[in-house]
Amino acid sequence: MGREAAKVTNVGKLLQTRGEEFLGSGYKDPISSFSNFQEFSVSNPEVYWKTVLNEMSTSFSVPPQCILRENPNGENHLSNPGGQWLPGAFVNPAKNCLSVNSKRSLDDIVIRWRDEGDSGLPVKSMTLKELRAEVWLVAYALNALGLDKGSAIAIDMPMNVNSVVIYLAIVLAGYIVVSIADSFASLEISTRLRISKAKAIFTQDLIIRGDKSIPLYSRVIDAQAPLAIVIPAKGSSFSMKLRDGDISWFDFLERVRKENEFAAVEQPVEAFTNILFSSGTTGEPKAIPWTNATPFKAAADAWCHMDIRKADIVAWPTNLGWMMGPWLVYASLLNGASIALYNGSPLGSGFAKFVQDAKVTMLGVVPSIVRTWKSTNCIDGYDWSSIRCFGSTGEASNVDEYLWLMGRALYKPVIEYCGGTEIGGGFITGSLLQAQSLAAFSTPAMGCKLFILGNDGCPIPQNVPGMGELALSPLIFGASSTLLNANHYDVYFSGMPSRNGQILRRHGDVFERTSGGYYRAHGRADDTMNLGGIKVSSVEIERICNAVDSNVLETAAIGVPPPDGGPEQLTIVVVFKDSNYTPPDLNQLRMSFNSAVQKKLNPLFKVSHVVPLPSLPRTATNKVMRRVLRKQLAQLDQNSKL
């Protein structure tokens, strides 16, 4: 980005007016001084967060006494290492999403959407005035159910206009959203309803994708859900009979006919607003509550790193069951931008045409979507020139695929974004004010300080290249301080080293700091392997193997301990683009993988086996479950030995 373009970004404008005030005589210009500003956001949370909350026109019904109290009520920081943010404040994030301010008027469009199959029709839209009326109506109808204030209410639906309206209404009325992804089987739904003690659930009769109808309400019934409010996927009637006591969407709304404004329920900042779940690959998923502060962390990341502002149109194919669903709502609406929703699969040309027709300016992706677009070429011929930047999250991305993606939009940058549900956003990302390197991160997120732990478990010096498990400074605005079904301290802090009297927060991802000052993600700490005494991440090997043969769609690199002990053996699990393809010679492919890995990574590495599979096992959030593959391969080895 040129210097002129940098000046009109959110951060560029702020630094031009207040850079010297923040950074003193060391301030030069937004580009040269960006990393100093990032450090300032960590060392001066009072000034930084006051400024950003103000930039986002945040309104509190009772303002906070300060931004951060490090040791609340004289507690030692062991019980609450993250400190207390915005103490004394009362706020309602949904009310802030619906308010008229310097960023928007009642006539501004705040949601644009299209249903799959309607590609020939204009994009539908909703103004702020219309959204407010819809949210108020649902909030009144929620109150008519007679649930206790603070009750948990689940949403298990595709991410469409109705689910966004319901989400905002639950928060506005002082209840807690329980996020459940629409892909889950009934057992997963029931686990989440049980942990969150949900009193009601919003769902659809079916999910319609192309000519397929996927049952949803029947899964909710099988999960023995509490009271369900059921929305028809198409039209106004259902194909099935409702369970006794359940209510149709139409009857739910008919109970109230209120046109006047719904008075938002203002709550203390530490009150819960959303219960989300980490995609546990083992055991029960962690139930992570977002407080009333978390939405502002999500929106601040978007304001600063993706440069989301008034008149932007933001699309990110996701679901309210995942962190990025609520993130998209808050990142757009708290910044005066518009949400763009495609009610259908993002993998085909229908989605590509929607991005063109809705004039999307910020498009978020996950790498596996980009891989599919590139291999099927379904987005060819659509005009994506309105895009100012891409965002990417979920897993490590691939340089070739992302260069190809940038080429679809006149080579606009990709802002990588990595964080966690328990952070409410990112801890490492990119910026339009820094040169971006493909498939890499250029900066810790605003307000975050990162440490890379060496082999001795202690942080390596800042700015020194190296690879290891990532740890975070504990003081992160909006991050979790409790879990519903586990001990928060044990999960995130127990056994971690300290720095400057603060115990560090665990994250569990392996990161590399390069000599150029960029960061690269190497997957979970348990996705690294030890090959002949050298620690290497699966992702590094996979990047190389994916490019070896044009028939390969994706690979997974697994270190398998031999049945009779000894160093781990490198096995490459391979998925071919065409499921009917049989390679002429697997040993030939193994040798190609071998020479590529030795040439590009390390001459001492050796690929021992190649195993073809129709697909890789993934968590519901699309992360490859290498642990599952490792177990299966070790089992196979054990059996073949017998």
Side-chain angles (χ1 to χ4, degrees), residues 48-82:
Y48 176 76
W49 285 103
K50 208 175 211 167
T51 305
V52 173
L53 291 168
N54 192 36
E55 288 286 337
M56 298 192 301
S57 311
T58 310
S59 92
F60 296 94
S61 59
V62 177
Q65 293 149 14
C66 59
I67 294 290
L68 169 63
R69 199 173 278 153
E70 280 199 45
N71 294 354
N73 322 327
E75 294 171 24
N76 69 11
H77 76 275
L78 285 180
S79 55
N80 183 12

Side-chain angles (χ1 to χ4, degrees), residues 246-258:
D246 289 346
I247 317 169
S248 76
W249 178 237
F250 185 74
D251 290 342
F252 171 73
L253 296 177
E254 274 295 285
R255 300 171 160 206
V256 290
R257 268 282 160 256
K258 290 275 200 300

